[in-house]
Each structure stands twice: as C-alpha cells, then as structure tokens.
C-alpha cells in the first residue's frame, strides 16, 4: 500500500498545511491502472483520528462559515417544530381522554339512575326519566339538558315559591315558570347540536350549528302583566284601559301599572280598582319577582323606560308600536287580541337584548368599592363635552390594554340593540341585536383615521378624564340622567348578566331586517329604467 507525503490537503474548500504528514488513505486508493484496493476499516479510522488533531486550520472560507451558521439555525428551527408537534399531539390526546371519560361517566350515571326502574311501564319510565333530567338540570349547572334544547344554567327558575300577600290584603300569584328553547333542528338520535367547536386529533373546527332562534314556552299560564305606557297621551291611555279590561275579563290576569297610570285609570272609571301598583323604590326592586310579562304601549323610548325599572332580571316584553320610529316594537296595536293570545298560550320567539352595566368612579373615592350605584342602559352611554368649548379629552382602556385617546365631540359606547340609534347617526355600523358585542363609536373625532370599533361582549371598557384635561365631560345614559365627570373620574362599562327579552313578531332576524327597511328605508332607491336589449 502506498504512503505519500502530503504538504497540503484540501478538505471541502478548507486549506490545511503546516508540516509533512504521512497519511494512509482511509478507505480506498485508486491505482494508476484503474483498480481499487481496499484497506482495513480499523486502520483507516486510526489514520483519520490521528490526522484531525494534528492539522491546524490556517484559514477558513467565509462562505462556508456563513453556510454552517445557517444550517445550525435551520436545525434549531426543525427541532422546535418537532417538539411543538409532539406537545400538540400530547395535549390533543389528553383532551380526547378527558372527553371520553366524561362521556363514560354520564352514561354510567344515566344507567345507574334508570337501572332500578326496569319493571315500570314504558310511559312511567319515560315520565320518571324526564323528571330526573329536570332535577339534574336544576342542580348541575354544567350539564346539558338533552331533550329540552337548552343547557340547564340557561333555564330561568321561579324566584317566588309561593303566593305573596301584600299588607292591604291583595294576593299576588307566584310567577309563571317558563323554559327557553333553541329553535334548532334535531339530528337522528333526537339530540340538539350545542357544540360550536370540536377538538379531535389536534384539529379545531366549527361543528354543526342551529339557527339559534330562541323560543319561550310557558310551563304554566302567566298570571301577572305589567303595563308601561307612553305618557301624556289620551289615546294611549284609552287603549291601555281597553286592553286591561280585555285581559281581566277574558284571561283573568292580574294587572300592574305605574302609579301615574293607576291614578289616571281610577279617575276615569272605578271599574279599574283591581289594578295594582307600587308605592316606593323598595317595591320597584322586588318587582321582577311578581311580574310574568310586560306590555309596552309606545315606541322604543317606552321600551327603554320599562327596562330601566328592572335592575336585575327582566320579564319578557311585548312591545306594541305607537311611536314614530321603532326598532324594538314589532307588534301592531290593531291586532292586540291575536298577538297577546298567542303570547299567553303558545311558544314564541324572543330576542335577548344585552344591556350595559355602567359604574362611575370618582377620583375622590379611596377604592373602587365606594362608587356610585351601577346604571343599566339598553341603547348606549354617551360621553360628550357638554357646554365646554374645548374638545373632549378621554383616555380609553379595554380590560388592561390601552385603546386610544379620544379628542373630539365625544364617545358613544353602545349595545348592539342601540346600533340603530345614536351610534348609527355618528357613523357606526348597524348590528343584529343577537350579535354579542360592544360598539365603540367616536363623535366627530379630531382625526380622519378614527373609525368605529366593535369589541367582544366579555371585555370591560374604562373611559377616564385625565387629570390634565382642560375641561370636564358629561355622561348620559339612554339619553337621560346626565352625570358630570371631572378630571380623574372614570366610567367603567361592561355587559350586564341580565338581558332584556323582547317578543318577536316572526323571529329575531326577520324583525330586525323589517325594522331597518321600514324605519330607515335602508338602501331604498329607484330601479333603473329598461329600454330594451342593448344594440
């Protein structure tokens, strides 16, 4: 085997030289006549290891060094991808395992609950199972009701277990229980589609959804109706008297009215001595425990006033249109017998209209607990500059994130129900009332790039007047109850847990589209003339 003295060896562009090294070829050597002679692997390995430490690098290729660095970066990225994929697969397997355990646990509970009643008849067993499902729904706030179409925590329970006796001897019947149903199609096994998102094998996708129209079904006939009427109108008062008489004589319903209306009706006719009312603010706070249904006679302002009477839960509202422009009053007064008869006896569609819960925090308050009473609004809260000649200067935060500084005439924070009110006039978008969100609309901002926002309903907005503000600001709630905000004061707004359920004439979407077509003449234009086919 040949041994050659090598003065310089070139390995992939790296020139290595210093002294003469006797290098034995590692694997093979091609002779001059073209034949290949092999050497032992042990001998070649010893030669390679002996060569590497004895060969210092005099100079390096800059391109090779850059390429090596890039390869190390790629290897690191690939390693992170592999690790991330393994973590995602492990997490998906854990979620799948928890899901299977939960399904198995529910099946065992159902099997154990019905095991002892196998001797019952089919009718009795079905009745017992249904009763147990209702009892479980009232206890387990996380389980799904299955047959009744809405999760148990969404079932509104009666807060009055028995009749209420007033000091004057009048008896108010217990509230009529009802159930809310998703207006959705059933699949083959009779179960409703509740899941919006499915998670399987590390992939997220949206599941089949229902049409999400919500139905209200009375479990027992409603007994008490509250009438809220447009003030200072003799024609509305006459209609109220007519409907109250019809409800009492045809349906034997207890009637509540406002103190003002009670005085006017009793002055008109002593026949109405059966109507009931309240005498102080303390009785107003417990009004929701007595009222099954609210009937409003007026426009959207009357609906706003009716909602403001309830600081907590709000009974279903049937709004009759007697105003000039109404987006929440779908019912015509001429057919009140038909509409009220259907509402009292049959399931009907409702729209759950979100309300904003507003807290005013004064700069002089030592902590957020010592604040003013919360204010609930159905349309919007408006912060404007009032009589000041200076622009409003407001700092806005969404949860803990800074949003922007408002400089202009003011700011509107609106519900989706209020999107067709002041927010629309200020350039905001029209939003379906069932869309969960909060509208953030500036009023004449001092910037052309300040466009309206729609934020998710779970956030809290804080609007603060900075300490260095030149002027003060004023906040109004649904167009009334103006409150002055000085430097350092803040207004916090979030979605209230108590929505306003309004009855639909058809359904939520149909009523909304009809209101913007009829009320706003939305996209109404003349049709193009047709003079025949083009030449």
């Amino acid at each position: 085997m040949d041994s050659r003295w090598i003065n310089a060896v070139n390995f992939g562009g790296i020139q290595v030289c210093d002294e003469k090294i006797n290098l034995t070829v590692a694997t093979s050597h091609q002779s001059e006549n073209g034949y290949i002679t092999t050497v032992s692997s042990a001998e070649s390995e010893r030669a390679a290891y002996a060569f590497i430490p004895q060969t210092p690098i005099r100079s390096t290729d800059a391109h090779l060094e850059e390429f090596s660095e890039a390869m190390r970066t790629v290897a690191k990225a690939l390693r992170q991808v592999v690790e991330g994929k393994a973590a995602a697969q492990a997490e998906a397997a854990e979620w799948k395992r928890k899901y299977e355990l939960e399904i198995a646990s529910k099946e065992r509970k159902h099997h154990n609950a019905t095991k002892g009643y196998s001797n019952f008849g089919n009718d009795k067993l079905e009745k017992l199972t249904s009763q147990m499902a209702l009892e479980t729904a009232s206890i387990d706030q996380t389980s799904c009701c299955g047959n009744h179409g809405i999760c148990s925590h969404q079932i509104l329970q009666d807060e009055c277990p028995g009749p209420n006796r007033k000091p004057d001897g009048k008896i108010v019947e217990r509230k009529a229980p009802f159930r809310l149903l998703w207006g959705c199609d059933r699949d083959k096994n009779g179960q409703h589609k509740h899941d919006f998102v499915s998670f399987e094998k590390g992939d997220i996708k949206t599941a089949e959804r229902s049409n999400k129209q919500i139905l209200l079904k009375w479990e027992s006939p409603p007994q008490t109706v509250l009438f809220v009427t447009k003030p200072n109108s003799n024609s509305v008062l006459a209609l109220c008297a007519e409907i109250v008489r019809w409800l009492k004589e045809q349906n034997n319903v207890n009637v509540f009215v406002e103190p003002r209306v009670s005085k006017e009706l009793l002055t008109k006719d002593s026949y109405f001595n059966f109507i009931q009312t309240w005498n102080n603010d303390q009785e107003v706070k417990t009004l929701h425990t007595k009222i099954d249904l609210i009937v409003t006679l007026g426009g959207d302002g009357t609906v706003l006033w009716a909602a403001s009477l309830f600081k907590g839960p709000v009974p279903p509202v049937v709004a009759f249109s007697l105003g000039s422009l109404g987006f929440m009053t779908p019912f015509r007064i001429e057919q009140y017998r038909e509409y009220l008869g259907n509402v009292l006896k049959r399931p009907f569609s409702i729209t759950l209209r979100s309300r904003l819960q507003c807290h005013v925090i004064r700069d002089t308050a030592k902590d957020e607990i010592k604040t003013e009473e919360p204010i609930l609004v159905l349309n919007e809260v408006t912060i404007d500059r009032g009589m000041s000649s200076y622009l409003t200067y407001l700092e806005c935060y969404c949860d803990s994130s800074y949003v922007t500084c408002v400089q202009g005439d003011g700011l509107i924070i609106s519900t989706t129900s209020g999107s067709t009110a002041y927010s629309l006039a200020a350039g905001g978008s029209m939003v379906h009332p069932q869309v969960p969100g909060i509208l953030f609309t500036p009023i004449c901002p001092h910037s052309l790039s300040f466009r309206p926002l729609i934020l998710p309903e779970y956030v809290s907005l804080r609007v603060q007047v900075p300490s260095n503000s030149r002027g003060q600001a004023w906040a109004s709630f649904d167009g009334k109850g103006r409150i002055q905000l000085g430097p350092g004061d803040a207004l916090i707004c979030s979605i209230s847990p108590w929505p306003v359920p309004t009855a639909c004439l058809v359904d939520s979407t149909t009523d909304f589209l009809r209101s913007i077509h009829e009320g706003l003449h939305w996209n109404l234009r003349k049709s193009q003339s047709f003079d025949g086919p083009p030449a």
Side-chain angles (χ1 to χ4, degrees):
M1 181 178 64
D2 292 338
S3 296
R4 299 183 179 181
W5 291 95
I6 301 176
N7 294 324
V9 180
N10 193 323
F11 276 76
I14 302 177
Q15 187 73 23
V16 180
C17 61
D18 183 32
E19 60 186 52
K20 294 181 180 180
I21 301 174
N22 192 350
L23 176 64
T24 302
V25 179
T27 57
S28 64
H29 175 73
Q30 185 173 358
S31 62
E32 294 178 358
N33 57 7
Y35 292 98
I36 299 176
T37 58
T38 61
V39 296
S40 66
S41 60
E43 197 175 306
S44 62
E45 184 177 358
R46 284 195 299 273
Y49 279 108
F51 169 74
I52 292 174
Q54 296 175 6
T55 311
I57 299 176
R58 282 290 184 88
S59 61
T60 59
D61 192 336
H63 296 290
L64 181 60
E65 184 176 344
E66 183 179 354
F67 176 75
S68 300
E69 183 68 24
M71 290 301 294
R72 282 193 291 271
T73 304
V74 172
K76 183 178 179 181
L78 290 175
R79 186 164 57 251
Q80 292 177 349
V81 169
V82 172
E83 293 174 354
K85 182 178 179 180
Q89 290 175 347
E91 185 178 0
E94 181 65 17
W95 276 102
K96 185 177 180 181
R97 185 185 66 82
K98 291 181 179 180
Y99 176 76
E100 291 175 350
L101 289 176
E102 183 179 357
I103 295 299
S105 176
K106 289 183 179 180
E107 289 179 353
R108 284 197 302 270
K109 289 181 180 180
H110 180 72
H111 176 72
N112 294 335
T114 58
K115 183 177 180 181
Y117 302 98
S118 58
N119 296 329
F120 280 31
N122 292 334
D123 294 341
K124 293 183 179 180
L125 181 59
E126 183 178 359
K127 182 178 180 181
L128 179 61
T129 304
S130 176
Q131 181 179 359
M132 293 180 64
L134 289 175
E135 293 174 354
T136 305
S138 64
I139 298 174
D140 185 7
Q141 295 291 324
T142 61
S143 62
C144 186
C145 63
N147 294 331
H148 298 282
I150 194 167
C151 293
S152 60
H153 68 276
Q154 294 170 300
I155 298 175
L156 304 183
Q157 301 293 340
D158 185 10
E159 296 190 7
C160 291
N164 298 323
R165 183 178 297 275
K166 297 183 66 176
D168 57 1
K170 292 185 179 180
I171 297 178
V172 179
E173 297 293 335
R174 65 189 297 272
K175 288 194 65 176
F178 58 83
R179 192 173 300 279
L180 299 182
L181 310 174
W182 293 123
C184 59
D185 298 328
R186 296 173 181 265
D187 57 11
K188 294 181 180 179
N189 61 4
Q191 298 296 321
H192 289 269
K193 296 291 184 180
H194 290 302
D195 296 334
F196 286 175
V197 178
S198 64
F199 187 84
E200 184 178 358
K201 297 181 180 179
D203 298 326
I204 297 176
K205 68 175 183 180
T206 55
E208 181 181 351
R209 303 189 184 193
S210 68
N211 59 16
K212 305 306 291 180
Q213 299 293 342
I214 304 176
L215 303 177
L216 187 148
K217 180 181 180 181
W218 300 106
E219 294 186 340
S220 65
Q223 299 295 319
T224 307
V225 177
L226 168 65
F227 278 83
V228 180
T229 64
K230 180 180 178 180
N232 304 321
S233 175
N234 294 329
S235 60
V236 173
L237 182 64
L239 284 171
C240 178
E242 179 182 343
I243 300 174
V244 167
R245 187 188 297 269
W246 176 78
L247 281 176
K248 184 63 177 178
E249 295 177 354
Q250 299 297 325
N251 298 277
N252 194 26
V253 173
N254 299 318
V255 177
F256 266 80
V257 296
E258 298 175 82
R260 168 187 57 82
V261 179
S262 174
K263 183 178 179 180
E264 292 175 350
L265 289 178
L266 288 175
T267 302
K268 183 177 181 180
D269 193 342
S270 60
Y271 168 83
F272 297 103
N273 58 4
F274 62 87
I275 60 175
Q276 303 180 51
T277 186
W278 55 89
N279 299 315
N280 50 56
D281 294 339
Q282 190 63 33
E283 293 184 6
V284 174
K285 293 181 180 180
T286 61
L287 196 60
H288 69 277
T289 64
K290 308 171 186 178
I291 303 301
D292 297 324
L293 186 69
I294 302 173
V295 175
T296 66
L297 305 177
D300 283 356
T302 308
V303 178
L304 297 178
W305 172 249
S308 68
L309 297 175
F310 298 86
K311 305 304 180 184
V314 184
V317 180
V318 181
F320 286 93
S321 177
L322 291 173
S324 57
L325 183 64
F327 296 92
M328 294 183 285
T329 55
F331 295 96
R332 304 299 180 187
I333 195 63
E334 296 80 9
Q335 299 171 279
Y336 75 84
R337 288 183 174 87
E338 176 186 353
Y339 294 146
L340 287 178
N342 292 336
V343 167
L344 294 175
K345 299 176 182 178
R346 302 176 186 175
F348 57 95
S349 297
I350 62 172
T351 299
L352 293 180
R353 300 181 180 273
S354 299
R355 290 193 291 177
L356 283 173
Q357 184 171 265
C358 306
H359 295 265
V360 176
I361 300 178
R362 299 295 181 182
D363 183 44
T364 55
K366 299 301 181 183
D367 50 51
E368 293 190 2
I369 299 177
K370 298 179 181 179
T371 61
E372 299 182 6
E373 288 293 326
I375 303 172
L376 295 175
V377 296
L378 181 55
N379 267 355
E380 77 279 313
V381 53
T382 304
I383 305 106
D384 57 62
R385 60 181 181 175
M387 298 295 293
S388 173
S389 59
Y390 296 106
L391 298 177
T392 56
Y393 184 47
L394 306 170
E395 292 179 351
C396 302
Y397 299 85
C398 180
D399 290 336
S400 58
S401 301
Y402 173 75
V403 178
T404 189
C405 179
V406 178
Q407 289 182 289
D409 283 352
L411 176 69
I412 302 171
I413 301 176
S414 170
T415 65
T416 51
S417 293
S419 67
T420 52
Y422 196 178
S423 175
L424 178 63
S429 178
M430 291 187 293
V431 186
H432 190 290
Q434 289 287 163
V435 174
I438 302 175
L439 280 66
F440 186 89
T441 309
I443 305 173
C444 298
H446 200 252
S447 171
L448 295 178
S449 62
F450 194 170
R451 310 308 300 162
L453 296 176
I454 300 178
L455 301 169
E457 68 169 351
Y458 56 81
V459 303
S460 293
L461 294 176
R462 177 163 61 93
V463 181
Q464 184 170 349
V465 181
S467 300
N468 60 346
S469 176
R470 292 183 178 182
Q472 297 176 333
W474 292 82
S476 60
F477 307 88
D478 278 342
K480 58 183 183 297
R482 288 174 65 82
I483 294 178
Q484 188 174 6
L485 301 176
D489 294 344
L491 176 68
I492 297 179
C493 301
S494 60
I495 292 294
S496 168
W498 306 111
V500 178
T502 58
C504 300
L505 181 61
V506 181
D507 57 58
S508 180
T509 302
T510 303
D511 287 5
F512 171 70
L513 294 176
R514 180 199 56 80
S515 67
I516 64 175
H517 281 116
E518 295 182 0
L520 296 177
H521 304 294
W522 180 63
N523 198 28
L524 182 64
R525 62 182 296 273
K526 293 182 178 180
S527 300
Q528 291 181 328
S529 60
F530 181 72
D531 297 330

